[in-house]
Amino acid sequence: MIYRAPLADIGFALKYGASLGPAIEQGLFGELGLDDIDAIVAEAGRFAGEVIAPLNRIGDTYGTPFKDGAVTTAPGWKEAYRAWRLAGWNSVTAPAEWGGQALPQIVNAACTEMWHAASIGFANGPMLTMAAIDALNAHGSDALKRTYLEKLVSGEWMGTMQLTEPQAGSDVGALRCRAERAGDGAYRLKGQKIFITYGEHDFTDNIIHFVLARLPDAPPGTRGISLFLVPKFMLQNDGSLGARNDIRAHSIEHKLGIHGSPTCTMILGDDGGATGFLIGEENAGMACMFTMMNRARLAVGLQGVGVAECATQLALAYARERRQGRTAGMPSSESAPIAAHPDVRRMLLSMRALTQAARAICYSTAMALDRSERSADEAARSTAHQHASLLTPVAKAFSTDIGNEVASLGIQVHGGMGYIEETGAAQLFRDARIAPIYEGTNGIQAIDLVTRKLPLADGAIVAAHCDELRGIVRMLDASNDPAFGWSAVRLGDAVESLSRATNWLLARLDKEPDAALAGASPYLRLFGIATGGCLLAKEALAALRLGGDTASRLAVARFFAENFAVQAGAIERTVVECAPGIFAADAALAS
Ligand SMILES: Cc1cc2nc3c(=O)[nH]c(=O)nc-3n(C[C@H](O)[C@H](O)[C@H](O)COP(=O)(O)OP(=O)(O)OC[C@H]3O[C@@H](n4cnc5c(N)ncnc54)[C@H](O)[C@@H]3O)c2cc1C
């Protein structure tokens, strides 16, 4: 499958959608300039397209055979991982103190999109290692950091994230894995974890597991969960690998997609207890895990963008080649490429516009994270942190839904050939399907958005977000360019729908929480549509100012406004009207 990193689109989204240019002018990233960032992103794109993408299909067909407790990854994968980490891609945002490059989150967001576009199965493991580095750096003791961070940052060892148990999926508080104090400062863990990504593999000779478990005297629910670092191999005094720890992969799952990514059932404590080291405080594991999950949630959103981009490229190439039927006025002896038919154009443009909208949202989230870490004054950092918190569930859920929609459209553009494995469109569709499920299902993201993020600063963060979108609409209106068609009106309406739906939800959170929960998923969609549409308009306005490739950016922004933003009014009605119908639906669900 051919994937070519869309460097021009990525660069434009970084600079003008997510306002990287102004951030650099303000000195947010010190000496780092736009040229440096362009060079880094271009090299990542080359690696993704030339080294990782050609391995995606073999990962799908070979899978991850499991024998005698060991996983073998597909031919070429181990070598590609080694080349990838030696090139420094594991350490892009990691702290310099531990060998990282301390580059901005937004640079890593662009790279992450490209790793996942090339192969979600491959990029999944490194994504979790990066999240583990964040959690250990933020919450670990100095001793743990000294022992483990350098090798995690270099990618010599990889990390896993272990929450899920058979009875504890979305309800993390129901987990039962036990941790007992060993008396020597360490803990002994016993239990079972399921669905653990890269729980076992042959990429690295040690694997550092980040495991949630419960102490015997812990309070119930999420307030009684602690986070432990559990190495596959214990370390000797000189740092070399010692005895095997009591944590093992028991089996791997056979699944719909991402066949190259091993998904393991892990058993801890078959032989007396796995040795674990506490990260942060006892019973404060959820806060540590949230550091890890927030990072991973944005990365999973970027999986959605990456898979959508790849599906779009594949569909466009096919639609230009495949000839069927005629367009108006064509001689009967000829046939047209399917890309010339209005309905296929509609599908292709939908794919392009949805992908670019999701990309703009994810990059804007990464920029908010950068501002939360690097702004000069505390107030600006705090506001940016809240803005990033608001956008993260949207980046995760909207973008992974888009990944599925676009991958499905990709199959439709191919017709019957899309359903046949050899084109690669089917694999993208299968691989995309997991992203709305893991890292907190998209339903859980919507609940998070409505119940935790809208109330931030008494609603001031979401209100400021709507005002920012209104500012873009005003600029669009003022541009008066006929190439935008009805965009300003459609986007203006979408933003007001978002604003009204927000106020409606905020007014119900305390008194009618079920009504708010019933409308949470459509609300997240509305949020994504209004925000994505405005960010595309912002990019198109920049293109107008700059000249050059304005036609395609105007066309994409206009298409999104007239085909997707226009749905906002109907979704607003769903948000505010759906609850009574949902609660009256028992009869429909009874049989
Ligand atoms: C391939 C793969 C890789 C994975 N990798 C990892 C990993 O590395 N580490 C790890 O810890 N886990 C991992 N997981 C687990 C994944 O995070 C969970 O599957 C996910 O969190 C959902 O949990 P569940 O499967 O138990 O579904 P459930 O929690 O049973 O949810 C089923 C449905 O009910 C909905 N639902 C549940 N509770 C509520 C509620 N309160 N309100 C509204 N709706 C609700 C959900 O949105 C969903 O639609 C992986 C899973 C897969 C399939």
Side-chain angles (χ1 to χ4, degrees), residues 428-464:
L428 293 175
F429 183 63
R430 288 186 287 101
D431 285 356
R433 192 60 191 87
I434 183 59
I437 297 172
Y438 57 19
E439 278 314 320
T441 65
N442 284 2
I444 297 296
Q445 301 303 318
I447 291 171
D448 177 50
L449 174 66
V450 167
T451 61
R452 293 197 199 92
K453 305 303 170 58
L454 296 189
L456 285 172
D458 287 331
I461 303 297
V462 66

Side-chain angles (χ1 to χ4, degrees), residues 451-476:
T451 61
R452 293 197 199 92
K453 305 303 170 58
L454 296 189
L456 285 172
D458 287 331
I461 303 297
V462 66
H465 180 76
C466 290
D467 281 345
E468 198 183 321
L469 301 184
R470 285 187 184 102
I472 296 171
V473 173
R474 275 196 299 276
M475 286 192 290
L476 191 61

Side-chain angles (χ1 to χ4, degrees), residues 189-513:
L189 277 74
K190 289 185 185 171
Q192 183 193 18
K193 296 284 175 182
I194 60 167
F195 298 160
I196 302 307
T197 297
Y198 276 81
E200 179 58 50
H201 58 79
D202 56 5
F203 278 7
T204 57
D205 55 10
N206 205 1
I207 304 173
I208 312 304
H209 304 288
F210 288 71
V211 183
L212 286 184
R214 190 181 287 291
L215 290 158
D217 49 2
T222 48
R223 286 181 302 115
I225 291 176
S226 308
L227 178 63
F228 298 91
L229 184 154
V230 183
K232 174 178 169 183
F233 285 100
M234 303 304 294
L235 302 186
Q236 311 206 67
N237 287 341
D238 64 357
S240 60
L241 298 189
R244 186 79 152 79
N245 199 1
D246 191 8
I247 177 168
R248 278 161 220 285
H250 170 267
S251 54
I252 61 158
E253 304 295 345
H254 301 278
K255 49 197 194 292
L256 178 68
I258 58 166
H259 292 158
S261 168
T263 307
C264 307
T265 297
M266 306 296 298
I267 304 290
L268 297 93
D270 251 2
D271 193 18
T275 301
F277 305 102
L278 184 69
I279 297 177
E281 303 285 316
E282 287 185 353
N283 301 328
M286 280 312 285
C288 308
M289 194 46 104
F290 266 116
T291 305
M292 197 162 172
M293 283 196 297
N294 279 335
R295 168 66 174 258
R297 283 178 177 173
L298 174 57
V300 171
L302 288 158
Q303 288 187 344
V305 179
V307 81
E309 173 64 39
C310 199
T312 305
Q313 291 187 14
L314 204 61
L316 259 171
Y318 185 81
R320 287 183 188 125
E321 291 291 317
R322 171 74 173 160
R323 291 181 168 271
Q324 285 292 282
R326 280 163 291 284
T327 49
M330 222 176 180
S332 59
S333 56
E334 289 179 18
S335 59
I338 58 169
H341 297 305
D343 192 55
V344 178
R345 287 172 71 86
R346 177 192 60 75
M347 288 193 278
L348 293 169
L349 268 164
S350 296
M351 295 172 81
R352 178 130 283 171
L354 288 168
T355 304
Q356 293 192 4
R359 175 181 291 131
I361 291 173
C362 287
Y363 289 4
S364 296
T365 308
M367 176 52 83
L369 281 174
D370 279 323
R371 288 194 177 279
S372 77
E373 291 167 4
R374 297 174 186 252
S375 292
D377 68 284
E378 172 56 32
R381 283 200 298 278
S382 164
T383 306
H385 175 75
Q386 291 181 316
H387 194 208
S389 300
L390 176 73
L391 291 181
T392 297
V394 184
K396 194 275 175 180
F398 182 74
S399 306
T400 55
D401 283 344
I402 292 311
N404 276 260
E405 288 166 38
V406 171
S408 178
L409 278 170
I411 291 187
Q412 199 66 19
V413 168
H414 282 79
M417 282 309 290
Y419 201 71
I420 308 299
E421 290 287 351
E422 75 184 63
T423 57
Q427 184 191 343
L428 293 175
F429 183 63
R430 288 186 287 101
D431 285 356
R433 192 60 191 87
I434 183 59
I437 297 172
Y438 57 19
E439 278 314 320
T441 65
N442 284 2
I444 297 296
Q445 301 303 318
I447 291 171
D448 177 50
L449 174 66
V450 167
T451 61
R452 293 197 199 92
K453 305 303 170 58
L454 296 189
L456 285 172
D458 287 331
I461 303 297
V462 66
H465 180 76
C466 290
D467 281 345
E468 198 183 321
L469 301 184
R470 285 187 184 102
I472 296 171
V473 173
R474 275 196 299 276
M475 286 192 290
L476 191 61
D477 205 23
S479 83
N480 240 345
D481 193 308
F484 280 117
W486 288 97
S487 301
V489 177
R490 299 294 173 249
L491 286 172
D493 288 350
V495 175
E496 294 319 316
S497 282
L498 175 65
S499 177
R500 282 190 300 269
T502 304
N503 293 335
W504 187 89
L505 287 168
L506 280 168
R508 266 146 198 89
L509 277 178
D510 287 338
K511 291 183 205 122
E512 299 172 65

